[in-house]
Amino acid sequence: MDDAVPEPPSAAADEPVHDPAAPAPLNVPRTPTGDAGVDAALDRLGDADHLATDGHVEVYEDVHRGLRDALTALDVRPGPPAPPTPPGPRS
């Protein structure tokens, strides 16, 4: 029989191990643009902060799609009516 008292685990075993490859927030400030669609797309970038790098592509593609859609919507908005065309020469 062994009467030795087991040693308590060291304090280092309780500390979290820093993994440089682990997801970490970049803490990049995002200034609101005033356009709800653009702001929502840019806020989505924060989702990448909690993903491993192989998950970033999906987030970036989603944000790119949202920003592209916002730009495309600018082209679709009706502008002022075109001026009437002058009558052409009569033949």
Side-chain angles (χ1 to χ4, degrees):
M1 176 177 224
D2 187 8
D3 292 331
V5 177
E7 291 184 33
S10 67
D14 295 337
E15 294 179 15
V17 177
H18 175 67
D19 180 4
L26 295 176
N27 297 320
V28 176
R30 288 182 289 280
T31 305
T33 65
D35 183 292
V38 171
D39 289 340
L42 295 176
D43 285 344
R44 172 95 165 90
L45 287 173
D47 294 345
D49 288 348
H50 309 289
L51 298 173
T53 53
D54 61 350
H56 290 191
V57 172
E58 181 181 338
V59 173
Y60 294 155
E61 287 177 348
D62 185 45
V63 170
H64 181 256
R65 187 173 25 259
L67 294 174
R68 187 181 57 231
D69 291 348
L71 286 173
T72 301
L74 293 174
D75 291 338
V76 176
R77 291 184 184 166
T85 55
R90 296 184 186 199
S91 33

